[in-house]
Amino acid sequence: MSALVWPNAQALETQLLDKEEQTEILQSGVPVFGQSLFQGAFKDQPFSGFNPDYRITVGDQVNLQLWGAYSFSATLPVDPQGNIFVPEVGPVHVAGVNNGELNEFVLRHVKRVFKNNVRAYANLEASQPVKVFVTGYVNNPGLYNGFSSDSILYYLDSAGGIDRDSGSFIDVKVLRGDQLLQKVNLYNFLVEGSMPALQLRNGDAIVVGARNGAVSIEGAVQQAAQIEFIGPYTQLGEMLLVAKPDPQANFARITQVIDDRQQASYLPLEEALTTPLYPGARVELVRDNDIQSISVSVSGELDGPASYVLPYGATLEDLLSQLNYRDNADQSAVQLYRKSVADKQRAALERSLDALQMEVLTRQPNTELEKGAQSENAAMIQKFIAQARKAQPRGQVVLANNPNAASMLLEDGDELVVPLRNSTVSVVGEVIFPTSLVFNERHTLEDYIEMAGGFANNANQDELVILHLDGTISRIDDSKFDNRLKGELRPGDEIMVMPKIQSSELQVTKDVTEILYRIAVGTAAVLSF
């Protein structure tokens, strides 16, 4: 991939990051480009096909079939002299023959003996087993078994992949004795899918070099990453061949240390493309804040367009004044959904799940009995965590009970929903028959639960959640399950019965409970446990 030959790479010596700069960029939270490459997918799927240019070598297995006046079928090894032995024909020297020409080559030799009425078919069945050294900055250096047709990705994956903190993805060498057989830049594979076809032999070595200089690219890019380069500096234009920019990105904020002094600049993207970037530089691509208008989508009980283009800085009141409500619209329960809020809800949920996972995995049992119980408990929690990570928060901005809601600034991409004036109450979660029921102001919370078949066996009967149509929430404990609750129930409410947490650990019980409530409120769904 010629475009990824970094500037001055041939003329300049490789400059490693200063240890302090290296540590700083690694702790930035931005992933190393390529770090997800080696997750076992290559070592678990050795290459079994052969390209036409593969050259037959000693140790390969050739499947040969003869039929007609003479019949023969066998898998023949290529012996140390490079031959296969064909009965009635003798040795046929196939070493060095291209795989794509193997069948025709063998057939010609067969025809020298059997002039007529004998046909032949030869194909490469298995390549030579080899042992290859994998060393340098990999997680598990060693000698690994494979086949001569396997790619270097297979062997690198077998060695646990490249060390994230110290290994290079652009400086991988394949050595045969003292000879450099191939130098591989894995960015070519990651970006373009290009990988050199190598035939490895016994004793070949794959050597991963030390990590070179790197810069961090984030913000309005399709893949935020720490990107490695060769030489004392690079340019943003080269880095963006890897971390593709967002089409709307038009400015770059660059922070880096030059001559022991930290410098920061904010440049138009076209100008920033040729700005020298030194090891440890951090670049954030941004969409310039000189926005003239925003777009807000609307849906529900409205007549008119499905989206509105408003001036930048428009408020909720500016939008509401343009809406044409239908007769059955519930204007008191207008709902606003915002991507930035959903992202924050998602991040908060992930932090809680990470903390729960750490709590479960690091707890030390005191007895064998506790060990068995903890193992069962941990498996259950891990299953719950996997489910919870799939939850997608809605990002609702609650407008009710806020006198300043009308003056709230709208954001580009906001979604406004005007619901139908509702006449039902839904009961969901741990009840026998989750359902929707016609609202009746005489009914209590207990009445609605009874009409849904009552609590399920796994229901938490001590505390319920009521999600109101306007986005507000009520958490009700069992002391309020009486007639006093009649006034708090409204048409359109969703009564959410949460599951009971079965755990021997008090802290785990509390953590899971809070996560369940967070998911219920953020996604309007009850997650089972």
Side-chain angles (χ1 to χ4, degrees), residues 349 352-353 355-357 359-360 377-378 380-388 458 460 463 475 498-520 526-529:
L349 176 60
S352 297
L353 292 172
L356 174 61
Q357 192 165 39
E359 169 73 20
V360 172
N377 191 51
M380 180 175 59
I381 298 298
Q382 292 283 33
K383 182 179 179 181
F384 165 74
I385 290 173
Q387 282 184 290
N458 195 41
N460 178 6
E463 189 174 26
R475 276 178 83 163
M498 311 303 291
K500 186 188 303 178
I501 310 305
Q502 305 288 347
S503 175
S504 58
E505 301 292 343
L506 179 61
Q507 184 59 47
V508 168
T509 300
K510 291 170 58 179
D511 291 344
V512 173
T513 300
E514 286 306 313
I515 290 172
L516 282 169
Y517 280 110
R518 182 171 291 172
I519 291 174
V526 178
L527 190 66
S528 61
F529 183 82

Side-chain angles (χ1 to χ4, degrees), residues 264-305:
S265 56
Y266 185 72
L267 304 171
L269 185 56
E270 290 185 3
E271 181 181 342
L273 292 176
T274 56
T275 300
L277 299 178
Y278 296 92
R282 295 182 179 178
V283 181
E284 180 188 4
L285 264 60
V286 297
R287 304 177 186 90
D288 184 64
N289 59 6
D290 185 17
I291 301 172
Q292 300 299 318
S293 62
I294 61 172
S295 176
V296 178
S297 62
V298 298
S299 60
E301 294 302 300
L302 296 167
D303 292 321

Side-chain angles (χ1 to χ4, degrees), residues 351-528:
R351 286 195 298 270
S352 297
L353 292 172
D354 290 343
L356 174 61
Q357 192 165 39
M358 184 64 69
E359 169 73 20
V360 172
L361 294 178
T362 58
R363 186 175 294 277
Q364 296 297 322
N366 295 320
T367 66
E368 285 300 318
L369 185 61
E370 286 185 6
K371 185 177 180 180
Q374 183 174 326
S375 176
E376 183 179 344
N377 191 51
M380 180 175 59
I381 298 298
Q382 292 283 33
K383 182 179 179 181
F384 165 74
I385 290 173
Q387 282 184 290
R389 290 195 191 279
K390 298 176 183 178
Q392 296 297 328
R394 301 176 301 163
Q396 184 171 4
V397 179
V398 179
L399 306 174
N401 303 326
N402 188 339
N404 300 318
S407 60
M408 181 186 69
L409 294 177
L410 294 172
E411 292 183 7
D412 187 58
D414 280 351
E415 298 179 21
L416 190 84
V417 178
V418 179
L420 177 72
R421 189 180 296 116
N422 216 302
S423 58
T424 63
V425 170
S426 298
V427 186
V428 299
E430 298 297 324
V431 290
I432 302 299
F433 304 113
T435 186
S436 292
L437 303 162
V438 176
F439 174 76
N440 188 326
E441 60 183 10
R442 298 178 182 177
H443 290 160
T444 66
L445 183 60
E446 282 185 318
D447 293 333
Y448 286 110
I449 292 173
E450 284 300 318
M451 285 187 285
F455 290 112
N457 291 334
N458 195 41
N460 178 6
Q461 302 183 30
D462 296 332
E463 189 174 26
L464 306 181
V465 172
I466 300 178
L467 185 59
H468 302 296
L469 198 59
D470 59 11
T472 57
I473 294 120
S474 299
R475 276 178 83 163
I476 311 297
D477 60 40
D478 58 359
S479 66
K480 294 184 179 180
F481 291 7
D482 55 29
N483 291 339
R484 288 177 292 166
L485 195 59
K486 288 180 182 177
E488 294 188 32
L489 289 171
R490 314 168 205 163
D493 281 352
E494 190 166 350
I495 301 170
M496 312 180 86
V497 181
M498 311 303 291
K500 186 188 303 178
I501 310 305
Q502 305 288 347
S503 175
S504 58
E505 301 292 343
L506 179 61
Q507 184 59 47
V508 168
T509 300
K510 291 170 58 179
D511 291 344
V512 173
T513 300
E514 286 306 313
I515 290 172
L516 282 169
Y517 280 110
R518 182 171 291 172
I519 291 174
V521 171
T523 68
V526 178
L527 190 66
S528 61

